[in-house]
Amino acid sequence: EDQVTQSPEALRLQEGESSSLNCSYTVSGLRGLFWYRQDPGKGPEFLFTLYSAGEEKEKERLKATLTKKESFLHITAPKPEDSATYLCAVQAPGTASKLTFGTGTRLQVTL
Amino acid sequence: SAVISQKPSRDICQRGTSLTIQCQVDSQVTMMFWYRQQPGQSLTLIATANQGSEATYESGFVIDKFPISRPNLTFSTLTVSNMSPEDSSIYLCSARGEKYEAFFGQGTRLTVV
């Protein structure tokens, strides 16, 4: 059974204080690993897809990396508007596009 | 990316009644999905909505409780039947993009009293 574990559950940073969120996964052959941002009361917003170990993707202050067992979402010099829950999900081959989600990391960035 | 519109955005319903949630995508998509997100928890897949055929349900979800329709490539509905307070949750519609990433609607916040 595919499993996704995210850590920490919650993270509080000061503005400008860089950090990383972790997503560990167990899947029988990874078809893709996905990062989403979810604001309260809204649906998840797609951020990145990573397909193979060693791959990296960047968007503004966010950078996602992937190894064979985990992915990191690095947040550089965060701002208060980066506050949200960040979700990680994996897709295995032959699962008809089914995504298995982790429980997320709640990030709060303060002034 | 696809833009997904869901309605209603929220509702408060009496137990024993049913609610139908609509999902409209602004372009034709191959696959559509329905997820549930219970308070403070992550997303759980309810079913895959198949165009022109019966939906494919995940373990723990059944058609009698969550009937799904998908009459074409841009529209789907999820009905939550015979509701109880345990059905209070956020229900999310999702559509698959070109490179397997899924896009989501804003969700329907359902409260059953």
Side-chain angles (χ1 to χ4, degrees):
Chain A
E1 183 178 337
D2 302 339
Q3 287 192 330
V4 179
T5 303
Q6 290 188 248
S7 62
E9 289 187 11
L11 180 63
R12 183 169 178 156
L13 300 173
Q14 287 196 322
E15 185 175 14
E17 180 186 1
S18 302
S19 187
S20 296
L21 314 182
N22 177 264
C23 171
S24 299
Y25 63 90
T26 303
V27 64
S28 302
L30 180 69
R31 197 173 200 185
L33 184 140
F34 307 85
W35 282 99
Y36 290 86
R37 168 191 171 127
Q38 186 173 28
D39 293 301
K42 296 188 176 182
E45 173 190 349
F46 171 75
L47 293 174
F48 304 110
T49 308
L50 302 167
Y51 294 104
S52 58
E55 189 174 1
E56 299 181 351
K57 293 276 180 73
E58 286 189 66
K59 179 180 180 180
E60 296 180 356
R61 295 177 292 281
L62 300 177
K63 179 180 178 180
T65 62
L66 181 65
T67 72
K68 289 186 177 181
K69 294 183 178 181
E70 57 191 349
S71 176
F72 292 93
L73 184 65
H74 307 278
I75 303 176
T76 302
K79 298 181 178 181
E81 52 262 41
D82 295 321
S83 298
T85 296
Y86 291 86
L87 298 168
C88 171
V90 298
Q91 183 188 1
T95 57
S97 300
K98 172 185 174 181
L99 296 182
T100 300
F101 280 84
T103 53
T105 294
R106 293 190 313 279
L107 173 66
Q108 183 180 12
V109 182
T110 59
L111 293 171
Chain B
S1 66
V3 176
I4 302 173
S5 302
Q6 261 184 258
K7 58 181 181 180
S9 58
R10 59 177 61 227
D11 207 341
I12 300 173
C13 300
Q14 296 290 325
R15 66 177 67 201
T17 63
S18 298
L19 176 71
T20 295
I21 303 167
Q22 297 182 2
C23 176
Q24 179 72 54
V25 187
D26 69 343
S27 59
Q28 293 186 349
V29 291
T30 307
M31 305 188 79
M32 294 180 72
F33 309 89
W34 288 96
Y35 287 81
R36 182 172 72 182
Q37 187 174 28
Q38 295 185 304
Q41 298 188 24
S42 193
L43 283 71
T44 301
L45 181 63
I46 297 171
T48 302
N50 300 311
Q51 193 260 330
S53 64
E54 191 171 289
T56 304
Y57 290 85
E58 296 298 306
S59 176
F61 298 96
V62 296
I63 187 171
D64 290 344
K65 176 67 175 177
F66 297 101
I68 289 171
S69 76
R70 190 179 173 193
N72 56 50
L73 293 176
T74 64
F75 185 78
S76 179
T77 66
L78 168 74
T79 298
V80 186
S81 303
N82 188 26
M83 289 183 285
S84 66
E86 292 72 35
D87 295 320
S88 297
S89 187
I90 298 173
Y91 292 85
L92 292 154
C93 173
S94 173
R96 173 186 154 181
E98 291 182 355
K99 292 187 176 180
Y100 306 109
E101 68 272 15
F103 297 98
F104 287 85
Q106 293 295 336
T108 296
R109 183 180 295 271
L110 171 63
T111 302
V112 184
V113 297

